[in-house]
Amino acid sequence: MAINYDRVVTQSLAKQIAEQIRSAILQGDLQVDERLPTEEELAARFNVSRPTIREALKRLAAQHLIRSRRGPTGGTFVTRPSTEEMSDALTGTATLMVSLGEFDLDSISEARREMEQLCLGLAVQRRTESQLAELNAALNQQQQPISDEDFCAADIRFHRALVDATANPVLQFNMYTVIEALQPLTNMLANRFRDREVIIGHHQALYNAIAAQQIEPARQALDQLIDYLTCQYSKALAWKQQSSQ
Amino acid sequence: MAINYDRVVTQSLAKQIAEQIRSAILQGDLQVDERLPTEEELAARFNVSRPTIREALKRLAAQHLIRSRRGPTGGTFVTRPSTEEMSDALTGTATLMVSLGEFDLDSISEARREMEQLCLGLAVQRRTESQLAELNAALNQQQQPISDEDFCAADIRFHRALVDATANPVLQFNMYTVIEALQPLTNMLANRFRDREVIIGHHQALYNAIAAQQIEPARQALDQLIDYLTCQYSKALAWKQQSSQ
DNA sequence: TTTACCTATTTGTCAAACAAATAGAAAATA
DNA sequence: TATTTTCTATTTGTTTGACAAATAGGTAAA
């Protein structure tokens, strides 16, 4: 008769413990701001050493699930990650995927075009005066004699303001990936004065159309911007590939 | 005259070290599959203890940036995270955001409608026979007398197949957030036979339109599905809120 | 009333040791 | 000669035990 075997556990103790606590948090069994047992108590409960518990907790902290504080009112608490923390984590992930070649330029371009057009439709309807002001401020910043880094930061600022005008946090959250996934590629063009001029021109057209709440000119400006960027990226990549041979 | 003060560092050593290594990875200074110095060597280099190094490394491991192995050919290696690993991390994040109320139902609904309509446009053009087969298989699975969990899993399977038909990894990556962010809400409806029938009906219409490559019927079917789901969610939430008072 | 000091608690860091996993080399066996 | 078993050194995983640092709140002093 056949013998049944239990699955062999190859994961480290710390990882297993982290997974258990993570599941409890995601399932709502641990509430935000709830205090976990002390490290000593957790060690006793899981029957492991305190350093092992600490390794497990550091995994959770790295995922913005918990935070800790020393002192009599200290301890380890389930945390409420801010949207900014999550976005930073997400863009780091996206940046890694791009650098690993998981996302090719055509896919990024297409995703950005489609998703930003979608946002544009909502932004044209819903933009507020303060969001318009932010778009304008980013545009003005790009027109200054600023560094490549600042130009790129202003570029992100402009597109984030556009996405913020959708008034939809889910779209905002997702668009940050796409906007900043192109960041390393935008860096290739930021040093060229001519490219800056063209980008600023399209941004100006975008801004004008959004301000006037005219969807068609806005769509065309965005299409032309994405077309231009994709074309320049391709040229820059080809040139870079050729000059490195 | 004024005295200048250096910024006081309040972050733990482990976190600071993790951030430095993470930056090196994201900036490409550390390549995938590259082996880091041993824990002993890192401790010497950063002038800290080995347990502190281990805590830093566990943070990076939790973010799928490194992996480790014991033994003579062991060590700590920069890892190439799979798209699945990243998606799992992302959906965990999205699930947390939903449960924390960062994403309200209207925003989720709107984002899903807009983004899935976008994907639908591409999917109708690009779907392959095997993707159609996968859509059909998920649909057939939902029509079986299965558990609530399996019904929800089949629901995700159907929509993932739809998104996969866009042939765009960036859209796929982003859509997983939106698809699974609604997962806890779909759970509310999966136990009701009547709701299942309606959902299956819309899925059938979607499948038929995608198979026939007719965009308008596909759009209408998706709109009706999202409308139905949003309406039922609202009712279920209102009912749940009322019965918990 | 305000400021300074103190205490006990919890996390952060450390040293040292040993366990476990492991690739490949060497030895034993068929 | 080919295959299997054993062994070794390396690196990570885990533990024990200790002490440092941060800290909220209570108490004492000004």
Side-chain angles (χ1 to χ4, degrees), chain B residues 98 105 108-109 112 116 142 147-159 177-193 195-196 199-200 203 225-226 228-230 232-234 236-237:
Chain B
V98 171
L105 177 59
I108 295 173
S109 248
R112 181 163 183 182
E116 203 157 353
Q142 288 199 301
S147 69
D148 294 352
E149 286 77 12
D150 287 342
F151 185 86
C152 289
D155 193 84
I156 289 179
R157 184 182 176 191
F158 184 88
H159 290 283
T177 307
V178 183
I179 288 173
E180 295 199 36
L182 274 176
Q183 188 55 29
L185 301 173
T186 306
N187 287 346
M188 285 180 179
L189 307 183
N191 62 342
R192 298 174 179 173
F193 180 81
D195 286 325
R196 285 197 188 194
I199 291 170
I200 289 169
H203 282 181
L225 174 62
I226 303 288
Y228 179 79
L229 292 177
T230 307
Q232 296 305 98
Y233 294 154
S234 298
L237 284 177

Side-chain angles (χ1 to χ4, degrees), chain A residues 152-164:
Chain A
C152 290
D155 193 83
I156 288 179
R157 185 182 176 191
F158 183 88
H159 289 282
R160 279 198 177 199
L162 193 157
V163 169
D164 287 348

Side-chain angles (χ1 to χ4, degrees), chain A residues 32 54-55 58-59 62-63 65 80 83 86 90 93 100 102 107 110 114 118 126 168-169 174, chain B residues 32 54-55 58-59 62-63 65 80 83 86 90 93 96 100 102 107 110 114 118 126 168-169 174:
Chain A
V32 165
R54 285 184 61 77
E55 285 195 11
K58 289 321 169 196
R59 296 183 75 101
Q63 292 168 336
L65 294 173
R80 174 184 287 272
T83 307
M86 286 297 122
L90 191 57
T93 296
L100 293 178
E102 293 290 323
S107 294
E110 179 180 72
E114 299 289 342
L118 179 170
R126 299 176 179 171
N168 185 311
N174 277 273
Chain B
V32 164
R54 287 185 59 77
E55 285 194 9
K58 289 320 168 196
R59 297 183 75 101
Q63 292 168 334
L65 294 173
R80 172 184 286 274
T83 307
M86 286 298 122
L90 191 55
T93 297
L96 184 63
L100 292 180
E102 293 292 321
S107 294
E110 180 181 71
E114 299 289 342
L118 180 171
R126 297 174 181 171
N168 186 309
N174 277 273

Side-chain angles (χ1 to χ4, degrees), chain B residues 88-229:
Chain B
D88 283 349
L90 191 55
T91 54
T93 297
T95 301
L96 184 63
M97 305 298 266
V98 171
S99 70
L100 292 180
E102 293 292 321
F103 297 155
D104 59 296
L105 177 59
D106 287 339
S107 294
I108 295 173
S109 248
E110 180 181 71
R112 181 163 183 182
R113 183 197 306 274
E114 299 289 342
M115 289 173 71
E116 203 157 353
Q117 285 287 5
L118 180 171
C119 291
L120 195 57
L122 298 174
V124 159
Q125 295 173 33
R126 297 174 181 171
R127 84 241 186 319
T128 65
E129 291 306 313
S130 69
Q131 281 153 353
L132 270 179
E134 174 67 5
L135 277 167
N136 201 29
L139 186 52
N140 283 338
Q141 190 183 353
Q142 288 199 301
Q143 283 161 329
Q144 304 304 314
I146 55 179
S147 69
D148 294 352
E149 286 77 12
D150 287 342
F151 185 86
C152 289
D155 193 84
I156 289 179
R157 184 182 176 191
F158 184 88
H159 290 283
R160 278 198 178 196
L162 194 158
V163 169
D164 287 348
T166 65
N168 186 309
V170 182
L171 288 174
Q172 285 162 20
F173 183 74
N174 277 273
M175 280 303 293
Y176 288 173
T177 307
V178 183
I179 288 173
E180 295 199 36
L182 274 176
Q183 188 55 29
L185 301 173
T186 306
N187 287 346
M188 285 180 179
L189 307 183
N191 62 342
R192 298 174 179 173
F193 180 81
R194 179 77 180 101
D195 286 325
R196 285 197 188 194
E197 289 274 276
V198 176
I199 291 170
I200 289 169
H202 289 306
H203 282 181
Q204 187 67 64
L206 258 173
Y207 170 80
N208 292 343
I210 294 173
Q213 284 187 299
Q214 292 182 328
I215 186 58
E216 262 323 299
R219 288 193 185 287
Q220 282 174 10
L222 183 58
D223 264 348
Q224 284 162 8
L225 174 62
I226 303 288
D227 284 343
Y228 179 79
L229 292 177

Side-chain angles (χ1 to χ4, degrees), chain A residues 7-13 15-16, chain B residues 68 70:
Chain A
R7 188 172 61 85
V8 174
V9 174
T10 55
Q11 281 188 352
S12 66
L13 285 174
K15 190 177 184 187
Q16 292 179 61
Chain B
S68 57
R70 307 184 225 190

Side-chain angles (χ1 to χ4, degrees), chain A:
Chain A
M1 61 191 67
I3 301 175
N4 290 331
Y5 298 95
D6 286 340
R7 188 172 61 85
V8 174
V9 174
T10 55
Q11 281 188 352
S12 66
L13 285 174
K15 190 177 184 187
Q16 292 179 61
I17 293 166
E19 283 304 310
Q20 287 190 45
I21 299 175
R22 180 174 184 269
S23 291
I25 293 173
L26 292 185
Q27 282 158 9
D29 293 331
L30 288 170
Q31 300 299 312
V32 165
D33 295 329
E34 181 173 340
R35 182 171 170 282
L36 271 59
T38 68
E39 293 178 358
E40 209 70 46
E41 287 164 342
L42 283 172
R45 188 167 308 183
F46 283 100
N47 198 24
V48 297
S49 72
R50 203 180 139 226
T52 296
I53 287 295
R54 285 184 61 77
E55 285 195 11
L57 295 179
K58 289 321 169 196
R59 296 183 75 101
L60 298 172
Q63 292 168 336
H64 306 286
L65 294 173
I66 60 170
R67 67 185 185 277
S68 57
R69 185 175 71 228
R70 307 184 225 189
T73 56
T76 306
F77 303 85
V78 179
T79 201
R80 174 184 287 272
S82 65
T83 307
E84 179 144 312
E85 272 179 320
M86 286 297 122
S87 291
D88 283 349
L90 191 57
T91 54
T93 296
T95 302
L96 183 64
M97 305 297 267
V98 171
S99 71
L100 293 178
E102 293 290 323
F103 296 156
D104 59 296
L105 178 57
D106 287 338
S107 294
I108 295 174
S109 249
E110 179 180 72
R112 181 160 183 184
R113 181 197 307 274
E114 299 289 342
M115 288 174 73
E116 204 157 352
Q117 286 287 4
L118 179 170
C119 291
L120 195 56
L122 297 174
V124 158
Q125 294 174 36
R126 299 176 179 171
R127 83 241 186 316
T128 64
E129 292 305 314
S130 68
Q131 281 153 354
L132 270 179
E134 173 68 5
L135 278 166
N136 202 29
L139 188 52
N140 283 340
Q141 191 184 352
Q142 287 198 302
Q143 283 162 329
Q144 304 304 311
I146 55 179
S147 69
D148 293 352
E149 285 76 14
D150 286 343
F151 186 86
C152 290
D155 193 83
I156 288 179
R157 185 182 176 191
F158 183 88
H159 289 282
R160 279 198 177 199
L162 193 157
V163 169
D164 287 348
T166 65
N168 185 311
V170 181
L171 288 175
Q172 285 161 21
F173 183 74
N174 277 273
M175 280 304 293
Y176 289 172
T177 308
V178 184
I179 288 172
E180 294 198 35
L182 275 175
Q183 190 54 30
L185 301 172
T186 306
N187 286 347
M188 286 180 178
L189 307 183
N191 61 343
R192 296 175 180 175
F193 180 80
R194 177 76 181 101
D195 285 326
R196 284 196 187 195
E197 289 275 275
V198 175
I199 290 170
I200 289 168
H202 290 305
H203 282 182
Q204 186 67 63
L206 257 174
Y207 170 79
N208 293 344
I210 293 173
Q213 285 189 297
Q214 293 181 327
I215 187 59
E216 261 325 298
R219 287 194 185 288
Q220 281 173 10
L222 183 59
D223 263 347
Q224 284 161 8
L225 174 63
I226 304 287
D227 284 343
Y228 179 78
L229 292 176
T230 308
C231 181
Q232 296 305 99
Y233 294 153
S234 298
K235 287 179 182 174
L237 284 177
W239 178 82
K240 191 178 179 183
Q241 197 172 10
Q242 190 187 27
S243 67
S244 71
Q245 276 168 352

